[in-house]
Amino acid sequence: MSSESGPASTSGPSPSKNVIVDGVLRFPPTGSKALVVGAGVGGLGVALECWRKGIEVEVIEKAEKISPLGDIFVIAPSALTTLHHYPSLLKEYDEITHDNYLEFAARNGTAIMPPVEFEWNRKGASQSGAYPLRVKGLVGRLRFAEMLFHQCKRLGIPVTFGVAVEKYEEDVANGSATAIALDGRRFTADLVIAADGIGTKSHAVTLGRPVRAVKTGFLVYRGMYSTDRLKGTPVAEDFVRNLERPVLKFLKADKIHAVYTLSKSHVSIGITTEDDDMTAVESWSSTVSNETALSSLPDPDTWDPLLLDIIRSSPENSIVRWSLCFRDPQPRWTSSGGRVVQLGDSAHSFLPTSGNGATQSLEDASSLPECLRMVGKEDVGIATKVHELLRYQRVSLIQHAGFVNMQDVHREADPNVKEVQPPLQQGKWLWGHNPEKYATENFAKARAHLEKGSPFENNNLPPGHKWSDWTMEDEFSKQKAGVFTVHELKRNGDWNSI
């Protein structure tokens, strides 16, 4: 008896193929699907990283397009540690950001110290997690959000506008979560990421109750417009004509501070006072006349003439009057089964003096997808809780810093006295952080802590810092008792930039 057979195969197993879209190399599929609610900076940022980490993802947004609301914000290096993975995004970032320097001055505009760079760009500063990128710091909110949206389109991430989510549900038994829209549409995925801001309805499934917004007593007037409107002004026109590099200037006074930025193309302004009349609200539609904004300055004629030009030249009734409310740190950002997780302002809102709202949204957007990458579809719920454990203490401390920073800038500066230390100190622990790397290195230990009670301590805080929970009420009590809490906090651990 004989048998015949062909030659033995020498091809070996079929290789997996690299998936590269727009120059972005994608990780192997995890098998899980995420739904992102909110197409703001945090929502679009986490969608990009979910896609890159092999997670199927889509975005829904209540507005009809990328929202034009907002003005300008700081983006620190810790928010940009994954930017180099997106060649087109990196190029667009470099084109739209402003490489500002900083000036600190008395109310009349007289400098109280020499001009300085942002901390991470100062001579001798530690290397940031975004190195070798020069992180320029300031960018318009709309342009940054549009930049992220453009990248989502290049990668084929679906973004659906006109979906207002009114309710979140979790199905622990089936390992899923659902976002329910006002019109009855239901969007279900293995994970729902609530990145829909301070008005999110997701607190019902995370905390079981709404989060109370408490007025701080602070009020901010803010706006942004083209420098074309400064033509013909007594001071600002010449200043812009001779401007060699964009500037961000802080003016310090008693119970008030003003900030303005100037580049060749745009000007922005923010005036924060301790004079909230309790009728102001948290809304971009709450605008006032230029004269009203000007009247927020005590003795207007004593202020920087450049600031006065900027206020008077604003498009009439375009300056937003925004009540600064605060929400105490919330230690729970996830639903009971971990299938709904909050991100950005939904989980943690900030005062402007933190300089970190957008940055921390983007840190979330780097940390969460990395946690999800390291588990299968069945363990999505534990991945979100690990992310929460890795992030909560750090974020709470940064919120605290933003609160106490008010003391740093609401003191009258003497134009005849030079100061040494720039206010609003952050430190390398903050901007030098790499949230993706931190998640990679600490995921297993943090998971063991949650599941087995193994010891775990975060080290994404200032070295030597003794962390504790805090509330706005406690902070106000200390300040009323005469405690200079900005020093108390920033002497707890190492806040240096070197």
Side-chain angles (χ1 to χ4, degrees):
M1 186 176 178
S2 65
S3 63
E4 294 182 4
S5 62
S9 172
T10 59
S11 63
S14 298
S16 59
K17 294 182 179 180
N18 288 323
V19 177
I20 303 172
V21 181
D22 191 44
V24 184
L25 175 62
R26 194 176 194 187
F27 279 80
T30 64
S32 58
K33 177 182 178 181
L35 171 74
V36 180
V37 181
V41 168
L44 295 172
V46 78
L48 291 175
E49 278 297 279
C50 280
W51 184 93
R52 188 171 72 86
K53 297 298 172 69
I55 301 159
E56 184 183 349
V57 62
E58 68 170 309
V59 182
I60 57 176
E61 162 60 40
K62 68 179 178 181
E64 296 299 329
K65 60 180 180 179
I66 297 298
S67 174
L69 300 176
D71 39 50
I72 201 163
F73 50 49
V74 174
I75 300 289
S78 59
L80 302 171
T81 57
T82 63
L83 187 62
H84 64 282
H85 293 295
Y86 304 86
S88 300
L89 196 63
L90 179 62
K91 184 175 184 295
E92 192 170 353
Y93 164 84
D94 202 45
E95 292 169 351
I96 69 171
T97 45
H98 301 290
D99 197 3
N100 296 66
Y101 67 94
L102 307 177
E103 284 191 357
F104 296 95
R107 70 164 70 194
N108 66 0
T110 301
I112 55 175
M113 64 184 64
V116 294
E117 299 278 0
F118 281 103
E119 279 186 32
W120 52 84
N121 288 332
R122 292 176 194 166
K123 186 176 180 179
S126 295
Q127 184 173 298
S128 81
Y131 181 83
L133 178 69
R134 178 173 176 85
V135 176
K136 302 180 193 178
L138 276 176
V139 64
R141 184 207 169 278
L142 174 59
R143 296 199 70 183
F144 196 88
E146 288 180 334
M147 176 190 80
L148 298 176
F149 179 58
H150 297 159
Q151 185 63 57
C152 285
K153 290 203 295 184
R154 288 191 291 267
L155 298 181
I157 298 172
V159 180
T160 304
F161 293 98
V163 182
V165 171
E166 66 168 351
K167 188 178 180 181
Y168 290 82
E169 291 181 348
E170 179 180 50
D171 186 339
V172 176
N174 290 313
S176 66
T178 301
I180 304 171
L182 279 169
D183 60 11
R185 281 179 289 175
R186 297 174 66 90
F187 298 83
T188 299
D190 302 310
L191 172 67
V192 174
I193 302 171
D196 45 351
I198 56 177
T200 184
K201 305 297 189 213
S202 58
H203 294 303
V205 294
T206 57
L207 294 170
R209 55 176 172 79
V211 173
R212 187 169 66 102
V214 180
K215 282 182 172 287
T216 61
F218 301 120
L219 184 69
V220 61
Y221 295 86
R222 57 197 301 176
M224 183 177 179
Y225 60 91
S226 168
T227 50
D228 289 342
R229 295 188 60 87
L230 296 176
K231 292 176 180 177
T233 55
V235 179
E237 181 179 20
D238 284 344
F239 186 90
V240 172
R241 182 185 302 115
N242 298 318
L243 190 65
E244 295 181 359
R245 183 181 171 193
V247 60
L248 186 157
K249 191 166 184 176
F250 281 83
L251 307 175
K252 296 171 56 178
D254 183 40
K255 297 184 178 180
I256 184 172
H257 75 277
V259 182
Y260 61 79
T261 69
L262 274 166
S263 69
K264 287 290 189 181
S265 61
H266 287 87
V267 55
S268 71
I269 184 174
I271 304 168
T272 303
T273 78
E274 297 183 25
D275 191 27
D276 190 345
D277 63 7
M278 309 312 284
T279 64
V281 294
E282 294 177 300
S283 172
W284 291 107
S285 62
S286 177
T287 59
V288 298
S289 68
N290 296 350
E291 188 59 36
T292 298
L294 192 65
S295 68
S296 70
L297 301 173
D299 303 317
D301 291 342
T302 65
W303 286 79
D304 184 352
L306 191 51
L307 173 67
L308 303 182
D309 273 359
I310 292 170
I311 297 173
R312 290 175 176 139
S313 300
S314 299
E316 193 58 53
N317 290 308
S318 70
I319 296 177
V320 174
R321 179 173 174 264
W322 186 286
S323 178
L324 289 180
C325 295
F326 191 75
R327 295 150 181 86
D328 283 332
Q330 304 300 320
R332 186 163 180 175
W333 309 341
T334 57
S335 56
S336 60
R339 296 285 173 164
V340 177
V341 60
Q342 297 169 328
L343 183 139
D345 281 351
S346 300
H348 43 72
S349 60
F350 291 84
L351 295 180
T353 39
S354 73
N356 256 270
T359 293
Q360 292 312 307
S361 290
L362 290 169
E363 282 195 20
D364 284 351
S366 292
S367 169
L368 177 60
E370 179 63 1
C371 290
L372 294 169
R373 181 187 69 82
M374 290 186 281
V375 300
K377 179 178 178 177
E378 296 75 18
D379 289 332
V380 163
I382 190 64
T384 61
K385 292 185 181 296
V386 169
H387 162 77
E388 178 185 271
L389 174 62
L390 297 178
R391 297 283 300 149
Y392 169 67
Q393 290 181 337
R394 174 178 173 81
V395 167
S396 170
L397 180 57
I398 298 168
Q399 289 175 298
H400 197 176
F403 201 90
V404 301
N405 279 344
M406 284 291 193
Q407 282 188 313
D408 218 4
V409 291
H410 279 203
R411 293 181 295 131
E412 195 74 41
D414 186 340
N416 299 309
V417 176
K418 298 301 179 185
E419 299 185 11
V420 177
Q421 177 64 47
L424 308 177
Q425 180 184 9
Q426 294 187 337
K428 65 181 179 181
W429 75 273
L430 205 164
W431 46 259
H433 182 58
N434 185 326
E436 179 190 36
K437 182 181 178 183
Y438 188 76
T440 307
E441 294 177 347
N442 290 277
F443 183 88
K445 290 181 287 186
R447 180 173 185 172
H449 174 76
L450 292 175
E451 294 182 331
K452 302 175 183 177
S454 303
F456 177 76
E457 287 189 13
N458 277 302
N459 59 11
N460 53 0
L461 308 171
H465 180 82
K466 291 181 173 56
W467 183 88
S468 62
D469 263 318
W470 69 284
T471 66
M472 187 178 83
E473 183 179 359
D474 292 342
E475 196 62 35
F476 270 141
S477 295
K478 286 184 181 180
Q479 292 183 8
K480 288 177 181 177
V483 178
F484 199 55
T485 54
V486 66
H487 285 172
E488 180 184 64
L489 181 65
K490 296 187 179 182
R491 289 170 180 168
N492 181 356
D494 182 359
W495 293 64
N496 289 319
S497 60
I498 297 175

